[in-house]
Amino acid sequence: MDHREFYDKDIVSIRDLTREQIELILDLSEEMIPYARGEKKTHTLDGRILGNLFFEPSTRTRLSFESAAHRLGADVIDVSQMSMTSIAKGETLADTIRMVDTYCDVIVLRHPHEGAARLAAKFSENPVINAGDGAGSHPTQTLLDLFTMRREKGSLDGLNIVLVGDLKYGRTVHSLADALTMFGAKLTFVAPESLQMPADIMEHLKAKGCNPVQTDDLESTIADADVLYVTRIQRERFPDPAEYSKVAGTYRIDNAMLREARNDAIVMHPLPRIDEIAPEVDGTEHAKYFEQAFNGIPVRMALLCSILGGEI
Ligand code: CP
């Protein structure tokens, strides 16, 4: 098995990948690091075009896909607002995808509706990469999260991982929890009861032999954690702003809290953060969220290179 088996493949859900396939991408991501930093050059995707369709706000995912494509020699076409496309005139997503498909070689789609990437993959001849579909999933974020954990902890096997915050609407934690079960992780889910992991994901995890602990007490989980994966409360997904107000600011990691943590425990966050990690944590050895964001470039380079048939 090598990375060529990803040729022309959609990446819609992390559940579409096996542990071996994930490891292949992580291994290739290691090789991509000097290219991602601009220390080595490649034109392996010369003449190929990435179509970046972002129908929800993004800084990291959109720009790191763009940077990854350029680092590999590919070109990028993009839109970042539905109002700037003919969707504003009533065109369906299916027709939009059919058109964009003819203008590029791979489509990267972020969309507010769960299931949008699966639908796009159905209507596109070229591969589609899910860059986040509503409160659904975010598989490329998971790959860079796993890459970060493996680099920082040496191995993914058997890590004690605490997922904190908005586990109901947070798509990054949905995909990450699925993937971590493949590596025998011990999972603890910390959230207010109203924002705990959805029942269908809990059932899936249990069917895979993982039995996460669920609690609302963050402090009780800190001492044993290898990884504290903190997430933002997803204000934009709450149907009722009053419900958001009830849970906003529930958890905040600061240096006093981290005094209880192991010296080698790491703090991750998919970003953007609001107030769930105090800025004072940024200067500690625990903070890995900015490295995590950089890791989006080598990981997305590895994916694009594999899907579009490049060679390094
Ligand atoms: N982590 C993440 O998806 O960030 P953006 O929303 O900025 O892309």
Side-chain angles (χ1 to χ4, degrees), residues 207-229:
K208 295 283 173 193
C210 179
N211 282 297
V213 174
Q214 293 180 284
T215 177
D216 61 2
D217 180 6
L218 173 59
E219 296 202 17
S220 69
T221 68
I222 301 259
D224 290 331
D226 294 305
V227 179
L228 279 165
Y229 189 98

Side-chain angles (χ1 to χ4, degrees), residues 57-61 110 138 141 270-271:
S58 170
T59 299
R60 281 146 289 273
T61 313
R110 173 168 289 189
H138 195 349
Q141 177 72 41
L271 304 177

Side-chain angles (χ1 to χ4, degrees), residues 202-266:
M202 288 301 293
E203 276 166 30
H204 177 81
L205 299 178
K206 285 179 185 163
K208 295 283 173 193
C210 179
N211 282 297
V213 174
Q214 293 180 284
T215 177
D216 61 2
D217 180 6
L218 173 59
E219 296 202 17
S220 69
T221 68
I222 301 259
D224 290 331
D226 294 305
V227 179
L228 279 165
Y229 189 98
V230 187
T231 62
R232 174 178 70 91
I233 310 273
Q234 309 274 304
R235 180 171 55 181
E236 66 277 22
R237 311 249 180 255
F238 280 72
D240 178 358
E243 289 303 309
Y244 171 75
S245 303
K246 283 186 200 161
V247 288
T250 307
Y251 301 115
R252 181 174 169 87
I253 306 275
D254 59 17
N255 284 349
M257 195 177 271
L258 288 173
R259 277 200 271 284
E260 302 301 318
R262 295 178 187 162
N263 288 341
D264 63 353
I266 63 170

Side-chain angles (χ1 to χ4, degrees), residues 53-59 61 108-112 131-132 138 171:
L53 299 185
F54 276 72
F55 297 140
E56 271 197 337
S58 170
T59 299
T61 313
V108 177
L109 176 68
R110 173 168 289 189
H111 196 279
H138 195 349
R171 57 193 170 204

Side-chain angles (χ1 to χ4, degrees), residues 6-12 44-54 61-62 64-70 72-79 96-110 117 120-121 123-131 140 299-310:
F6 284 88
Y7 182 70
D8 215 23
K9 189 174 167 56
D10 300 312
I11 307 290
V12 172
T44 190
L45 295 187
D46 199 13
R48 314 307 297 278
I49 298 176
L50 178 147
N52 241 355
L53 299 185
F54 276 72
T61 313
R62 185 167 74 85
S64 63
F65 263 114
E66 192 165 336
S67 178
H70 287 306
L72 292 164
D75 293 314
V76 179
I77 56 173
D78 71 283
V79 286
T96 303
I97 293 295
R98 279 192 181 105
M99 291 297 94
V100 176
D101 186 30
T102 65
Y103 303 152
C104 62
D105 302 300
V106 57
I107 293 174
V108 177
L109 176 68
R110 173 168 289 189
F123 286 95
S124 175
E125 294 284 325
N126 284 311
V128 170
I129 301 176
N130 181 4
T140 68
V299 169
R300 289 172 174 131
M301 287 178 75
L303 265 184
L304 291 175
C305 188
S306 304
I307 290 170
L308 293 173

